[in-house]
Amino acid sequence: MVAPGRNGVEDSPSASSSSSHMVTNHVSSSLAASTAGGPTSSPLRSLSSASGGLYVSAPGKIILFGEHAVVYGRTAIAGSIDLRTYVSLFTSADGRIYLSLPDLCVEKTWMLKDLLKTIALNPDLSTDVPNDDSPPSLELIVPIARKLSGSSEDSSGVQHLAILAFWYLLIGVVQRKRFRDQQNGDGDGTTTDGSDPPTNNGNTSQLEDPITKSVFWDLLAVKVTVRFKLPPCVGLGSSGAFCVCITTALLQTAGLIPPPSIPADEEGSLTWDDAHLDMIRKWSAAAESLIHGRASGLDAAVCTYGGVASYKPGRPIENLRNIPNLKVILVNSKVERNTTRMVQTVKERMKRSPFIVENILNTIDSISQEVASILQKADENGGVVENGGRSATLTPAFMTEMDHTNLQPVSVGGRSSSLSSYVAGGKRGSTASALSGISGGDARSSERNEFNETFAHLNDLCRMNNSMLVALGVGHPKVDQICTLLARYGIHPKMTGAGGGGSVFAFLKPDTPSTIIGMIKDELAKLEYDMWQPQLGGPGVMLHPNKPEVFIAADRIHAGPVSSRSTTPAGSHQSTPAVRHKK
């Protein structure tokens, strides 16, 4: 075990006080080189503590409508929430790989030379390499990842599975980088910047790859720290966000995707173009399948692209583009959910009363479609825009009866198949309403009235959908207690995810006074429930130009006594998006 903040897993206080603009400068210079026709070199050498490192984040997600029904081929609506997962990545020449997950009590260190030796001595890693941007072979990589990470097949805890996903992605990145260097003729014994490979002075491995040894001089040890602003294991997409962040950071670090260039927010954060986001999504979905056993790719898509999307098995994911500036209340019941048991409950009810359950599922499907119509924006010709106007799709198959162990359908096509991507229209991550074009006093009143009507409609649909879920047998007394409490304020929540505990959500009326929100939060706190108020449908994965506040807060804790201003403990969760630190 290693102690974060004292061994390089977290960057040192001196690093945090260094010029954070160097991250942006590095990305900009790399982008300029690539656009000038030069090769996209790995930025590994620049990501030392002195340069400020690499900071990536991805949103969480909630299933708004359609859980359980989607397993039986009906429509589901899912959206990103701005309770984000953050990754910092640094490199050093100490010959070690670090992974720090403070919120999961994970601090791990491995030797880089063991990874390099395993890759050099495994010929299958040189031959079984996809020619496109498909993810690495699970069948090939996972046994190697288990061996190197020290995880056995019986290790099923979330910590072990997160470590396994990290190693799967790390090995896959090294394999793909090695293969591309070979194709590009970079295996001539020099580094990608043309210099001679370093000698063994204790900072790098002696091992030289006979074909493309340049990648080994380029790939130094990585120091990865992950921090969550949403609780894990409650159905809010923490696994998907974790995999998206790790995938993006490693692909970017190895130069397998170029630096981002598309503005993602007003604070200078950037995201990638659609082709590279699609690669991130595919790799993330494969890694997430190691954590959940099986994944449709819906979580990975929402955490990669952000926004709100409609999904029905056999059809492409459809981005919903008329999203008002909606906020939701999220409440954690603190009852650990068991997805497998809840899905089995619905399956048994289907066997006993197929006609009734089919009609319940049809009702849920109708609710989801009605929500999609509310949040849908037609194009100029009155048609629906799917996949951001793109026609390429990969659609998932329906699950067979024996496959009903997850709320999401399984994908087809083996290791490289996943759901088609979707992208937001206009500015990526935008949640602007079509009503924003109205001006003047009457227009503002009209806009407010229309917002209130939208809320009232969605609020009623939540109530109906939750009643259907209770009828399917996936309710819980704690969830009923939360619903009763919020109903006194005219808010009708519903379960999100498997049910049987976990989290509930409700739409928040646009003009709800802060005093009312405070009263609700206080009542929930007295019952020992956690509440958040994240924005719905915000941006997806992005690279931050400055050190995010979640890491700065951790530095304060490691540095010593905190000031009188309250600081969130490392293991707790905040209700607002992180504030990027600007020097």
Side-chain angles (χ1 to χ4, degrees):
M1 292 294 187
V2 290
R6 290 176 171 82
N7 58 12
V9 176
E10 293 272 359
D11 46 320
S12 63
S14 61
S16 65
S17 62
S18 63
S19 298
S20 59
H21 70 273
M22 294 184 70
V23 178
T24 305
N25 289 347
H26 164 69
V27 170
S28 300
S29 61
S30 299
L31 179 61
S34 63
T35 55
T40 304
S41 62
S42 169
L44 276 165
R45 293 184 179 277
S46 302
L47 295 177
S48 63
S49 293
S51 70
L54 187 75
Y55 298 105
V56 173
S57 74
K61 80 91 184 63
I62 52 176
I63 297 180
L64 299 171
F65 297 89
E67 53 271 88
H68 287 289
V70 72
V71 175
Y72 295 87
R74 272 68 169 192
T75 305
I77 310 291
S80 63
I81 52 173
D82 210 4
L83 293 173
R84 304 182 73 84
T85 296
Y86 294 81
V87 164
S88 71
L89 188 148
F90 293 82
T91 63
S92 71
D94 65 358
R96 289 179 174 83
I97 298 168
Y98 298 94
L99 178 63
S100 175
L101 308 174
D103 299 299
L104 298 179
C105 301
V106 171
E107 304 288 342
K108 288 287 188 178
T109 309
W110 302 273
M111 297 302 297
L112 175 63
K113 65 181 181 181
D114 295 334
L115 169 61
L116 302 186
K117 181 179 179 180
T118 299
I119 289 178
L121 297 179
N122 193 320
D124 290 338
L125 290 174
S126 300
T127 57
D128 189 4
V129 183
N131 292 323
D132 53 15
D133 61 1
S134 298
S137 166
L138 290 166
E139 295 80 6
L140 173 63
I141 301 296
V142 170
I144 301 173
R146 289 192 187 279
K147 179 180 178 181
L148 288 172
S149 67
S151 175
S152 66
E153 292 188 12
D154 297 330
S155 301
S156 58
V158 64
Q159 293 90 344
H160 294 288
L161 296 175
I163 293 170
L164 181 63
F166 167 78
W167 268 96
Y168 162 75
L169 291 167
L170 180 61
I171 295 170
V173 164
V174 176
Q175 179 200 35
R176 194 64 54 90
K177 173 71 172 173
R178 185 174 185 254
F179 177 73
R180 290 193 179 181
D181 280 357
Q182 180 182 2
Q183 284 190 320
N184 295 333
D186 292 334
D188 56 359
T190 63
T191 60
T192 54
D193 61 5
S195 61
D196 293 330
T199 58
N200 178 37
N201 58 5
N203 291 334
T204 57
S205 171
Q206 285 183 331
L207 184 64
E208 293 185 5
D209 181 82
I211 301 175
T212 58
K213 58 187 175 183
S214 63
V215 67
F216 293 143
W217 305 126
D218 201 33
L219 182 68
L220 303 180
V222 291
K223 301 177 181 180
V224 176
T225 303
V226 183
R227 290 201 174 265
F228 299 92
K229 284 211 167 183
L230 74 165
C233 308
V234 292
L236 298 181
S238 59
S239 297
F242 169 82
C243 292
V244 168
C245 284
I246 296 293
T247 298
T248 305
L250 292 177
L251 289 175
Q252 175 70 77
T253 299
L256 294 176
I257 58 175
S261 60
I262 300 173
D265 63 15
E266 296 179 353
E267 299 180 26
S269 300
L270 301 173
T271 191
W272 289 260
D273 62 29
D274 298 340
H276 297 107
L277 286 176
D278 196 47
M279 181 177 184
I280 292 169
R281 176 187 60 82
K282 291 176 182 176
W283 284 52
S284 302
E288 190 192 5
S289 71
L290 298 176
I291 299 176
H292 287 312
R294 170 165 57 247
S296 69
L298 180 60
D299 280 21
V302 172
C303 294
T304 299
Y305 287 98
V308 178
S310 171
Y311 166 63
K312 187 172 185 177
R315 297 182 182 179
I317 295 178
E318 180 182 312
N319 185 47
L320 304 181
R321 302 174 61 179
N322 186 29
I323 310 299
N325 195 18
L326 294 172
K327 284 194 174 183
V328 296
I329 291 178
L330 268 175
V331 183
N332 182 7
S333 72
K334 296 188 178 180
V335 177
E336 186 175 350
R337 66 192 179 95
N338 187 317
T339 301
T340 301
R341 187 173 71 242
M342 292 298 100
V343 172
Q344 184 64 27
T345 296
V346 176
K347 180 180 176 182
E348 290 173 357
R349 293 206 172 191
M350 174 69 83
K351 287 183 177 180
R352 289 198 306 267
S353 307
F355 180 78
I356 295 174
V357 173
E358 282 287 348
N359 278 281
I360 291 174
L361 297 177
N362 288 337
T363 299
I364 294 176
D365 185 58
S366 297
I367 292 171
S368 297
Q369 292 186 45
E370 189 159 336
V371 171
S373 69
I374 296 172
L375 303 179
Q376 185 77 279
K377 180 180 180 180
D379 64 15
E380 294 179 356
N381 296 320
V384 172
V385 179
E386 293 184 351
N387 297 323
R390 289 153 181 78
S391 58
T393 61
L394 287 173
T395 53
F398 291 100
M399 297 176 67
T400 64
E401 185 176 358
M402 297 302 294
D403 287 333
H404 288 173
T405 58
N406 195 315
L407 285 178
Q408 298 175 352
V410 70
S411 56
V412 296
R415 59 182 168 89
S416 63
S417 179
S418 57
L419 295 180
S420 61
S421 65
Y422 70 94
V423 293
K427 182 178 179 181
R428 192 180 305 277
S430 173
T431 58
S433 168
L435 300 173
S436 60
I438 303 175
S439 61
D442 292 340
R444 282 192 296 270
S445 176
S446 174
E447 180 179 357
R448 183 167 55 252
N449 291 337
E450 193 159 350
F451 271 139
N452 288 335
E453 289 177 8
T454 298
F455 162 78
H457 198 172
L458 292 173
N459 192 38
D460 200 35
L461 292 173
C462 279
R463 180 184 57 78
M464 289 188 237
N465 198 159
N466 196 69
S467 298
M468 295 298 102
L469 292 173
V470 171
L472 290 176
V474 297
H476 191 277
K478 292 286 188 181
V479 173
D480 294 341
Q481 185 181 43
I482 296 170
C483 291
T484 300
L485 189 157
L486 292 177
R488 296 203 303 266
Y489 293 91
I491 300 172
H492 297 293
K494 65 170 289 292
M495 291 171 271
T496 178
S503 300
V504 302
F505 91 95
F507 290 103
L508 189 63
K509 192 175 181 179
D511 57 356
T512 302
S514 58
T515 53
I516 297 297
I517 297 174
M519 291 169 62
I520 294 172
K521 191 169 186 178
D522 289 343
E523 283 201 59
L524 290 169
K526 288 178 182 178
L527 298 173
E528 299 185 345
Y529 298 128
D530 294 330
M531 188 187 92
W532 302 271
Q533 302 170 59
Q535 182 176 330
L536 176 67
V541 64
M542 56 188 181
L543 178 70
H544 297 270
N546 303 299
K547 188 174 187 177
E549 175 65 28
V550 67
F551 293 111
I552 296 173
D555 286 345
R556 294 194 194 106
I557 293 173
H558 293 307
V562 296
S563 64
S564 59
R565 183 172 178 264
S566 62
T567 302
T568 302
S572 66
H573 310 286
Q574 297 177 331
S575 62
T576 56
V579 178
R580 260 64 69 188
H581 180 65
K582 297 197 176 185
K583 303 288 185 179

